[in-house]
Amino acid sequence: MKKQPLLEVRDLKTRFSTETGLVTAVDGVCFQIYSGETVGLVGESGCGKSVTSLSILRLFGKHSGTRLEGKILFEERDLLTVPLDEIQTIRGNKISMIFQDPMTSLNPVYTVGDQIAESIVLHQKLDRKQALAKAVTMLELVGIPSPESRIHDYPHQLSGGMRQRVMIAMGLACQPKLLIADEPTTALDVTIQAQILELMQKLQCELNMGIILITHDLGVVAEVCDRVLVMYLGQIVEECPVEVLFDNPLHPYTCGLIRSIPSMATNRREELHVIAGMVPSLYHVPAGCHFAPRCPYADAQCGNPPELVTIDAEHKVRCWHPGARASGERRLA
């Protein structure tokens, strides 16, 4: 019997109303997440990674001018058809999200203990005393010293790294079935980063939790992910198991990201590789292949939009010239 995905996103389009009309931030994205696996979502800033995650939880508000199309099936139920008041029972409970910027996500007028306890009281039906006791346990799990006293602190009394760990404690407090982690270890030093990633993997094994990990750090991707989705300008341009990504990247954008990773073998006087140009504005999306203006292999055919096609087994790529290589290009084995 075929395994059913925990989350299945089908042809997701997220559009925003602006003064000059609609802009498409997520353009026909499709992917699946299974229980117990970690899927990395990578790409430059402005490629639509965070908007994709916000779309899953419909975190745009009633009057934001946002239009969502497609299907977002969580446990076979389309979240785009679920009433908003019912979505509230799913957010923070069955699906949790760790946000990228804790200072804008934490409420400055409530203690961190109260903020962690709030979702525990709401979703797990514990009283405030029991919820605060669990909040202490969660702060201890994420490596915050003296958690019994720290639960009474306000966000401004904590360092950036500690605020990030509070966000992680909030995300894991209700033992979700799916965790969306948006740059969860950006503000942390490498020691704490390793501890947090180890904690997430430990809880994943215990809860059979699915994880979507949004990150710029391909080192983290190599360490913890099972599959990788490479995103560019609102589209998935490559999808494959993590070992395939580093051994045999096929999309020129993926190759550029991997070549940009500093290597111990690189000559210190040698300039780091950069991908030419910048991610285009959503107001000026290229008509054909979105990456064509920055691609060294682009030709006339790239004026037509490529489809995401299956190359072999679990490897998919959106490119007219998959696997193109410049002579002397370094590959990361």
Side-chain angles (χ1 to χ4, degrees):
M1 185 174 177
K2 189 176 181 181
K3 187 178 179 183
Q4 194 67 31
L6 176 65
L7 177 79
E8 183 175 4
V9 176
R10 297 180 185 170
D11 198 27
L12 175 64
K13 292 184 173 70
T14 306
R15 296 187 170 103
F16 297 110
S17 295
T18 70
E19 293 179 354
T20 57
L22 285 175
V23 294
T24 303
V26 176
D27 187 8
V29 163
C30 301
F31 62 88
Q32 298 176 334
I33 308 291
Y34 292 88
S35 297
E37 77 165 345
T38 301
V39 174
L41 187 56
V42 303
E44 294 168 280
S45 296
C47 285
K49 305 184 302 299
S50 294
V51 175
T52 299
S53 64
L54 294 172
S55 300
I56 292 170
L57 287 171
R58 292 167 61 186
L59 284 171
F60 298 108
K62 291 182 180 179
H63 309 293
S64 64
T66 306
R67 299 188 188 181
L68 296 173
E69 301 173 14
K71 290 182 181 295
I72 301 173
L73 301 174
F74 177 69
E75 296 184 321
E76 301 185 67
R77 190 177 184 192
D78 188 0
L79 297 182
L80 294 187
T81 65
V82 174
L84 275 176
D85 58 348
E86 198 173 335
I87 284 286
Q88 302 283 3
T89 67
I90 297 173
R91 294 174 185 159
N93 186 25
K94 291 186 176 182
I95 305 177
S96 275
M97 184 165 179
I98 301 169
F99 293 92
Q100 186 171 356
D101 185 359
M103 207 53 194
T104 58
S105 303
L106 294 171
N107 193 319
V109 300
Y110 290 97
T111 66
V112 296
D114 282 337
Q115 294 185 65
I116 297 172
E118 180 182 16
S119 64
I120 298 172
V121 170
L122 177 64
H123 298 301
Q124 299 192 346
K125 309 305 179 185
L126 301 181
D127 61 33
R128 186 174 182 276
K129 183 177 180 181
Q130 292 171 319
L132 283 174
K134 185 162 185 180
V136 170
T137 301
M138 294 308 302
L139 291 182
E140 187 174 20
L141 277 174
V142 296
I144 290 184
S146 306
E148 297 86 355
S149 61
R150 286 296 186 181
I151 62 167
H152 303 296
D153 287 350
Y154 291 88
H156 74 272
Q157 294 176 287
L158 304 177
S159 68
M162 291 178 76
R163 286 194 292 265
Q164 188 67 30
R165 280 180 273 172
V166 168
M167 288 295 303
I168 294 168
M170 290 175 65
L172 297 173
C174 290
Q175 301 180 332
K177 293 185 177 182
L178 175 65
L179 177 68
I180 303 172
D182 191 352
E183 300 281 359
T185 57
T186 296
L188 307 179
D189 63 55
V190 291
T191 304
I192 299 300
Q193 174 178 281
Q195 291 173 359
I196 294 300
L197 293 173
E198 184 179 350
L199 171 64
M200 288 170 59
Q201 289 177 298
K202 177 175 178 290
L203 290 174
Q204 181 181 44
C205 291
E206 292 176 0
L207 304 173
N208 199 28
M209 178 173 63
I211 298 177
I212 300 175
L213 179 64
I214 301 171
T215 182
H216 291 90
D217 191 336
L218 290 177
V220 170
V221 168
E223 183 70 24
V224 304
C225 291
D226 301 299
R227 288 189 294 120
V228 186
L229 307 171
V230 181
M231 198 164 187
Y232 185 78
L233 205 55
Q235 296 181 331
I236 302 296
V237 297
E238 189 159 6
E239 176 184 350
C240 59
V242 67
E243 61 274 8
V244 175
L245 182 88
F246 292 104
D247 185 57
N248 186 34
L250 295 180
H251 197 281
Y253 180 61
T254 309
C255 295
L257 292 176
I258 292 174
R259 288 186 64 204
S260 301
I261 302 173
S263 168
M264 294 294 290
T266 302
N267 189 319
R268 286 166 56 179
R269 294 194 179 96
E270 184 181 330
E271 291 186 5
L272 291 175
H273 173 79
V274 295
I275 301 173
M278 297 178 64
V279 179
S281 163
L282 292 177
Y283 294 102
H284 302 98
V285 176
C289 172
H290 289 181
F291 187 62
R294 305 175 68 188
C295 181
Y297 313 111
D299 58 18
Q301 189 178 21
C302 300
N304 302 308
E307 298 292 327
L308 186 67
V309 297
T310 301
I311 301 298
D312 57 71
E314 298 176 292
H315 201 165
K316 300 177 182 179
V317 65
R318 186 188 302 272
C319 182
W320 291 114
H321 309 293
R325 292 281 194 276
S327 60
E329 180 169 296
R330 178 174 68 87
R331 291 178 60 190
L332 185 67

